[in-house]
Amino acid sequence: MMQKITTFFLVLLASITWAQQPEVTTQIDSTQIKIGSEFHLTVKVKGPSNTQVSFPELKNIGQLEVLENYPTDTLLNEAQIEFIKKYALTQFDSGAYQIPSFPILINDKQILTDSGFVLVNTVEVDTLKQKLFDIKTVSTVNETSNTWIYLVVVLLVIALGVLGYFLWKNKKPKAVKPEEMVFASPIERATTLLSILETKNLLVKGEIKEYYSELTDITKSYIEETIQIPAKESTTSELIAGLKIAAKQKKLPVKPETFQALEAILKNADLVKFAKSKPLDFEIIEDRKKIENVIVSIDDSLPEEIIEEVKPEELKRQAELKRLALQKKKRIKIGAAIASVVVIVAVLYFGDFNLFGSSAKSMLKKEWISSEYGNPGVKIYTPDVLIRQDNEELFPKDVIALLQEMQVFSSGSYFDDVNFFVATFKYKQPQQIDLDIALESGMQMLEAQGAQDIIVKTADFETPEGVKGRKAVGTVVMLDPITKRSKKMYYDFVAFSQDGGLQLILMMHKEGDEAAQQVTERALNSIELKKAVQNNE
């Protein structure tokens, strides 16, 4: 995911503006309330993405008291932006009250909201029907910690699961696995494994990539065993070239059609595995038949050798030794798996350790490093030095043509609780950059990468030295490429523009992680910017 996220910076290199009159709407969630009850007044402003809105912080609206000024919410939808401001209001005297208009600032112009009214009703108390009681004294509660019980329950569940697995495994008839079989010749091994491949029903399950992977592995293993060339480590072109040379040196009468058929199948497999190509069903069946014909054709070209007949008793002995070795290896793996489960449960329980990456709590305890990245330079404190990413080939050529310099840096591990990204772009010619459009484009690129339910709030941002920029914060639901599960992430995305260049800082962590939020705030407060180096040539 880290590499995909870094590529979204490419869409932040352009600014788009257009003229459109913002739309202002006002609404309340109730026209009648009881004395002292709370109701909400909502003001919405919808306009183009470059719209700037400033709502007043009020204590009273007419004769109504403002209980709370809620933060302004910002929603991005394609080229539109919507600002939503809520006020919590109340009144402690009955009667009909007008909600007067009040001004809001839109693109440096004052626009009045719509007016309305609300009816405040009294609350009747019938002491004859409803008895009144004295106020009860405060009761004390003895708090006890039972967290150890949860750990015991988790360990018992794991133990029962392992026991149940072994009981089920022992009752299930044991099928002979391909790696436990003993074959009399390489051709027998290859043809048998091809037959077993068909019984796995990978095509019915839609697992075309796995099907072609096994198909090519069987073929390359056969070639390695019979021709003695490194087929598995070779690319398609290297394998075909090496096979032709070996056939010529060993004087094997392999037909040119055999080489052509093998090369076509391997290239088709490469497209399936690396370019996500999806051949038609009849093409897959044809490839399966052709690969078997290729193996048989190569086998027919091999010189006949005197092969000592292997006695059935020897075959059984070899199979038994192999089976015992596999069982021993299996027991070791199961023991390691159980130990790993116990460690993981302990990690999840105590919550102060990240088994694969750096936890947010460990980041806070580290001695942070101050480094400067890119040009125009971005100086920032982080738990570890960010690593330069070489993603230039991912950018369109027309975008690269506009740039004099581009640098992208990111944190080193996908498993870290907090991920950092810094990117700087310096143009060949001066550019007028709209930072709000840059932030909006970044969100659109995240959406193109599979992000969902994006919530955005934008505001001004200023470094301790007084350099001003724009900041977007919010949450986004991302698909974890490893677990294939959705997870909700919190992000801070800051953009600056200096001397026509663009500087971007993105930080992401799992929502609700207080330690990770402290790491992010510490890094944000440490940002220092240096003016872009002037080109005097």
Side-chain angles (χ1 to χ4, degrees):
M1 183 185 74
M2 183 182 301
Q3 186 175 6
K4 285 187 176 181
I5 292 179
T6 58
T7 63
F8 87 94
F9 288 123
L10 83 97
V11 297
L12 309 180
L13 311 181
S15 299
I16 303 172
T17 58
W18 62 89
Q20 181 178 339
Q21 184 65 28
E23 178 185 350
V24 181
T25 58
T26 307
Q27 63 183 28
I28 57 175
D29 57 3
S30 179
T31 57
Q32 294 190 43
I33 64 169
K34 293 182 179 181
I35 290 177
S37 296
E38 178 180 316
F39 71 102
H40 297 92
L41 169 67
T42 303
V43 182
K44 297 181 180 180
V45 179
K46 188 175 183 181
S49 59
N50 61 346
T51 302
Q52 299 290 328
V53 179
S54 178
F55 294 96
E57 299 294 319
L58 303 173
K59 294 184 178 180
N60 294 282
I61 300 179
Q63 295 180 295
L64 299 170
E65 181 178 345
V66 178
L67 298 177
E68 185 174 0
N69 291 265
Y70 290 97
T72 303
D73 287 335
T74 307
L75 299 178
L76 288 173
N77 183 12
E78 297 180 353
Q80 295 283 317
I81 188 170
E82 186 178 17
F83 299 86
I84 303 173
K85 178 71 172 181
K86 285 187 178 182
Y87 299 89
L89 309 177
T90 192
Q91 174 56 251
F92 295 97
D93 290 325
S94 61
Y97 293 89
Q98 182 185 17
I99 305 174
S101 302
F102 58 93
I104 58 177
L105 194 63
I106 302 179
N107 294 333
D108 297 328
K109 294 182 180 180
Q110 285 193 351
I111 296 179
L112 293 176
T113 63
D114 294 331
S115 61
F117 75 95
V118 63
L119 182 63
V120 181
N121 298 315
T122 58
V123 179
E124 295 183 359
V125 179
D126 190 349
T127 58
L128 296 178
K129 295 180 180 179
Q130 178 65 45
K131 295 182 179 180
L132 300 179
F133 300 92
D134 293 335
I135 298 175
K136 293 183 178 181
T137 58
V138 177
S139 300
T140 58
V141 178
N142 295 323
E143 297 184 358
T144 58
S145 176
N146 296 322
T147 53
W148 63 273
I149 297 178
Y150 298 106
L151 180 59
V152 172
V153 170
V154 170
L155 293 175
L156 286 176
V157 169
I158 294 172
L160 290 174
V162 173
L163 178 62
Y165 170 79
F166 278 113
L167 293 175
W168 172 80
K169 195 70 176 178
N170 291 332
K171 288 185 178 180
K172 186 178 179 180
K174 293 184 178 179
V176 180
K177 296 182 179 180
E179 59 266 23
E180 297 176 354
M181 297 179 180
V182 178
F183 301 98
S185 63
I187 185 66
E188 180 184 343
R189 180 180 185 276
T191 53
T192 302
L193 293 180
L194 287 174
S195 300
I196 293 175
L197 176 60
E198 295 303 314
T199 64
K200 294 183 178 181
N201 295 323
L202 295 178
L203 299 180
V204 177
K205 299 175 184 177
E207 299 175 359
I208 300 176
K209 179 179 177 181
E210 289 74 9
Y211 181 87
Y212 271 94
S213 295
E214 291 198 31
L215 189 68
T216 54
D217 285 344
I218 294 171
T219 306
K220 290 181 178 180
S221 296
Y222 170 78
I223 293 174
E224 278 195 354
E225 192 172 357
T226 56
I227 310 299
Q228 284 86 44
I229 61 173
K232 292 183 179 180
E233 293 78 15
S234 303
T235 63
T236 296
S237 58
E238 292 172 346
L239 173 58
I240 298 300
L243 188 58
K244 288 181 179 179
I245 294 173
K248 186 176 181 180
Q249 292 175 346
K250 298 182 180 182
K251 298 180 180 181
L252 303 179
V254 182
K255 298 178 180 179
E257 294 82 4
T258 301
F259 293 122
Q260 294 173 1
L262 177 60
E263 184 175 13
I265 296 169
L266 292 178
K267 286 184 176 180
N268 195 21
D270 290 339
L271 291 174
V272 172
K273 291 188 286 184
F274 304 114
K276 298 183 179 180
S277 173
K278 292 185 179 180
L280 299 176
D281 291 344
F282 78 91
E283 294 176 328
I284 300 174
I285 296 173
E286 285 297 317
D287 284 347
R288 162 66 177 80
K289 293 178 180 178
K290 289 179 181 178
I291 207 70
E292 186 168 4
N293 292 336
V294 166
I295 292 175
V296 173
S297 178
I298 294 175
D299 194 73
D300 291 340
S301 69
L302 298 175
E304 294 184 2
E305 297 179 358
I306 300 176
I307 303 176
E308 182 179 356
E309 183 179 357
V310 182
K311 296 181 180 181
E313 294 79 7
E314 179 63 19
L315 289 175
K316 290 182 180 179
R317 189 185 72 83
Q318 293 178 9
E320 181 64 17
L321 291 175
K322 199 167 188 178
R323 186 183 65 82
L324 292 174
L326 289 171
Q327 282 185 350
K328 182 178 180 181
K329 186 183 294 185
K330 190 175 181 180
R331 286 195 297 269
I332 294 174
K333 288 182 177 179
I334 292 174
I338 294 174
S340 299
V341 169
V342 174
V343 171
I344 292 172
V345 169
V347 167
L348 295 176
Y349 177 73
F350 293 106
D352 192 21
F353 182 68
N354 185 328
L355 189 59
F356 303 103
S358 297
S359 68
K361 291 183 179 180
S362 67
M363 289 181 180
L364 290 173
K365 297 175 182 178
K366 279 185 176 181
E367 183 176 349
W368 284 32
I369 300 170
S370 175
S371 295
E372 184 176 332
Y373 303 94
N375 182 28
V378 176
K379 188 175 181 181
I380 184 173
Y381 275 87
T382 53
D384 297 290
V385 176
L386 305 186
I387 300 173
R388 183 188 298 272
Q389 303 295 324
D390 185 13
N391 293 318
E392 186 171 332
E393 70 279 0
L394 301 174
F395 289 73
K397 293 182 179 179
D398 55 343
V399 173
I400 297 297
L402 299 174
L403 296 175
Q404 177 180 336
E405 188 176 352
M406 173 189 65
Q407 299 184 50
V408 179
F409 306 84
S410 66
S411 50
S413 172
Y414 163 79
F415 297 100
D416 290 346
D417 283 356
V418 184
N419 291 125
F420 300 88
F421 306 89
V422 175
T424 62
F425 304 91
K426 187 178 180 182
Y427 297 87
K428 295 178 180 177
Q429 300 295 331
Q431 301 285 333
Q432 187 65 32
I433 299 174
D434 188 323
L435 295 181
D436 284 316
I437 296 296
L439 295 174
E440 178 185 355
S441 300
M443 296 301 102
Q444 291 176 353
M445 189 59 185
L446 279 178
E447 189 174 7
Q449 296 292 336
Q452 299 177 348
D453 300 333
I454 301 176
I455 297 177
V456 183
K457 295 181 182 179
T458 57
D460 291 330
F461 184 84
E462 185 173 347
T463 68
E465 291 74 24
V467 180
K468 295 183 179 180
R470 293 287 290 172
K471 176 183 176 183
V473 298
T475 58
V476 59
V477 177
M478 301 289 293
L479 179 66
D480 192 312
I482 297 178
T483 64
K484 303 300 181 183
R485 294 181 180 179
S486 296
K487 59 180 180 179
K488 198 169 186 180
M489 305 291 292
Y490 187 90
Y491 67 86
D492 290 86
F493 188 19
V494 186
F496 299 94
S497 177
Q498 291 190 87
D499 297 335
L502 184 62
Q503 298 155 297
L504 305 164
I505 302 101
L506 173 66
M507 304 177 196
M508 300 187 72
H509 62 81
K510 188 176 180 181
E511 187 188 36
D513 190 335
E514 295 182 2
Q517 184 64 38
Q518 293 178 27
V519 171
T520 300
E521 291 176 357
R522 182 175 175 182
L524 285 173
N525 293 332
S526 71
I527 294 175
E528 297 180 24
L529 301 181
K530 291 188 176 181
K531 290 293 183 180
V533 177
Q534 299 294 334
N535 188 357
N536 297 324
E537 298 181 358

